[in-house]
Amino acid sequence: MNPLKELEKLEEYLKIKPLYWDLDKNEFVWLDTRLIPFQEVYRRTRDYRRVGEAIRDMEIRGAPAIGVSAAFAMALAALETTAANTDDYIEGLRRAREYLASTRPTAFNLFWALDRVWRVVEEHREEGVDAIREAVLNEALTIYVEDIKNNVEMGRIGSRLIEDGDTILTHCNTGALATAGFGTALGVIRYAWYEGKKIHVITTETRPVLQGARLNVWELKKEGIPFTLITDGMPGLVFKKGMADLAIVGADRIILTGHTANKIGTYMVALAAWDNEKPFYVAAPTSTIQPVTDPESIVIEERSPEEVRKVMGKYPITLPDVNVYNPSFDVTPPRYITAIITEKGIAYPPYMRSLKRLLEK
Ligand code: MRU
């Protein structure tokens, strides 16, 4: 069955198309998020290594978008790889998988998508190269469509938690640009807006890469959703003054205990919400949930000091040689998380039980 058939039903939710597969040219296409909100430039390639670079350099970013792009990169590798026999062909694919797995360490969707593609390679091993090639592309397209479908479903489910008139604080970009389309936490916000709820969004700027100031602002403006931009140090005051009713954020990796790795600063947003008795929700597809229980096993990416010393990779905001610490994510403990919204339902504490149940669905 053609996975793209399903896409027709989702068209109304795809005002922003952050990435896709060009069926005529067998090329992968993506919007370069580094240039947003000032320029909208699509890039395209037939080279899986180029997709890896785009993930590493954050042209493509956001856990679900990274996972879907890696699956398409495997499809490119499957089309490109030539070999005398099936074993050599699979060896070429294994190298592509290994390279792609090394591009970013925290987003669980990357490993989830690569594992899923790999299962398909194994399943078709006996049928030979052509069958594997076709099956890998089909799996990548399926992962792509599923991500959009899951986001819309998550939006529908999560919107129940948003009241007409609510002001929602969010941190980092979790919209269409962080996924195959529609978004996770911003997808929930978007869905509530489509349902006619009069909401207001407060987005942090999200230092150092400014996903809030650049990407959320661009997406919210496109939708016409009213919003206010704040700096990352302000959520405490905003909650204390009663200016926000709840917080919704996304996730790069959630484990069964409910510990949630998300953009650096998320933990402080959770603390601010908790201290002011406001709900703090996480919205993420089940492809972000790693079925393990040790929070210490979550790998936190440390990025270049230049991201902190310069804004937008260009403008210095300090002296060139200052010592910098630049972890890209933090881990919010489950006691501060009111609920986790997924496409399979809402998980409430204790997460060990509720998340397990959702994964089994
Ligand atoms: O470093 P990034 O931009 O790839 O970070 C990922 C994110 O966008 C966030 O952490 C987000 O809140 C979760 S992914 C939808």
Side-chain angles (χ1 to χ4, degrees):
M1 193 186 119
N2 178 1
L4 293 179
K5 266 256 147 267
E6 285 229 43
L7 212 53
E8 288 160 21
K9 290 182 236 151
L10 298 164
E11 213 53 56
E12 61 178 304
Y13 300 105
L14 282 176
K15 284 191 203 153
I16 301 170
K17 227 173 171 183
L19 49 90
Y20 61 93
W21 182 263
D22 181 334
L23 279 174
D24 297 327
K25 297 189 175 144
N26 270 342
E27 286 178 349
F28 176 58
V29 187
W30 69 98
L31 194 54
D32 186 342
T33 68
R34 291 176 315 179
L35 305 177
I36 299 221
F38 306 113
Q39 282 171 278
E40 292 173 32
V41 177
Y42 279 95
R43 315 250 182 227
R44 52 172 63 231
T45 188
R46 281 190 197 170
D47 184 351
Y48 76 85
R49 299 162 203 86
R50 175 69 185 90
V51 183
E53 274 167 32
I55 293 172
R56 194 194 51 216
D57 299 342
M58 293 174 84
E59 290 174 39
I60 299 166
R61 27 73 47 210
I66 291 171
V68 173
S69 303
F72 279 131
M74 285 301 288
L76 291 174
L79 287 169
E80 167 196 293
T81 307
T82 49
N85 57 57
T86 310
D87 283 348
D88 289 355
Y89 180 74
I90 291 181
E91 178 52 24
L93 288 181
R94 196 195 55 74
R95 279 198 299 272
R97 177 197 188 190
E98 203 175 276
Y99 162 68
L100 291 163
S102 73
T103 51
R104 292 198 67 190
T106 305
F108 184 66
N109 306 58
L110 171 63
F111 310 102
W112 172 88
L114 290 173
D115 283 353
R116 205 169 134 171
V117 169
W118 200 254
R119 274 199 295 279
V120 164
V121 173
E122 297 284 8
E123 274 164 28
H124 291 79
R125 181 183 274 271
E126 299 309 319
E127 295 160 51
V129 170
D130 288 346
I132 297 173
R133 195 172 273 145
E134 193 183 322
V136 168
L137 176 57
N138 199 61
E139 190 66 1
L141 290 168
T142 305
I143 290 172
Y144 167 70
V145 176
E146 269 180 22
D147 188 64
I148 299 167
K149 216 168 80 183
N150 289 345
N151 290 337
V152 174
E153 185 57 8
M154 204 163 20
R156 192 185 66 76
I157 293 170
S159 176
R160 283 189 233 139
L161 302 170
I162 297 179
E163 305 271 337
D164 193 20
D166 271 350
T167 294
I168 306 150
L169 191 141
T170 193
H171 181 65
C172 196
N173 175 255
T174 54
L177 295 169
T179 63
F182 199 70
T184 59
L186 204 56
V188 172
I189 292 169
R190 187 171 257 137
Y191 204 100
W193 177 250
Y194 288 0
E195 285 184 322
K197 292 180 187 164
K198 288 185 188 52
I199 52 174
H200 189 96
V201 175
I202 297 179
T203 176
T204 60
E205 56 177 0
T206 325
R207 282 277 290 147
V209 179
L210 300 171
Q211 289 93 334
R214 298 186 306 107
L215 311 180
N216 282 347
V217 161
W218 184 77
E219 290 203 34
L220 289 164
K221 248 186 173 299
K222 260 195 195 304
E223 291 287 5
I225 304 173
F227 67 92
T228 304
L229 176 66
I230 61 171
T231 67
D232 292 2
M234 295 179 188
L237 174 114
V238 164
F239 277 117
K240 179 66 80 197
K241 288 186 106 178
M243 290 168 71
D245 300 293
L246 66 149
I248 308 185
V249 300
D252 294 84
R253 189 184 294 222
I254 300 169
I255 64 167
L256 288 178
T257 53
H259 286 85
T260 295
N262 192 50
K263 183 54 58 196
I264 190 74
T266 302
Y267 182 22
M268 293 204 308
V269 172
L271 286 173
W274 178 81
D275 194 41
N276 291 283
E277 294 170 5
K278 299 291 185 199
F280 175 88
Y281 299 117
V282 172
T286 49
S287 51
T288 304
I289 303 173
Q290 183 183 22
V292 298
T293 54
D294 178 9
E296 295 303 316
S297 69
I298 302 175
V299 184
I300 299 294
E301 176 179 17
E302 273 194 45
R303 295 186 64 88
S304 160
E306 282 305 278
E307 279 184 357
V308 175
R309 293 187 194 122
K310 289 182 183 157
V311 170
M312 303 284 293
K314 279 191 240 166
Y315 311 106
I317 55 157
T318 187
L319 299 174
D321 54 354
V322 291
N323 193 31
V324 161
Y325 176 47
N326 187 21
S328 204
F329 305 96
D330 58 26
V331 177
T332 301
R335 62 180 171 279
Y336 302 119
I337 301 174
T338 312
I340 299 176
I341 305 158
T342 77
E343 81 282 5
K344 292 188 179 178
I346 303 176
Y348 290 95
Y351 291 113
M352 200 70 143
R353 216 172 44 206
S354 55
L355 288 178
K356 246 192 196 152
R357 205 174 290 154
L358 283 187
L359 283 185
E360 281 160 10
K361 260 192 185 179

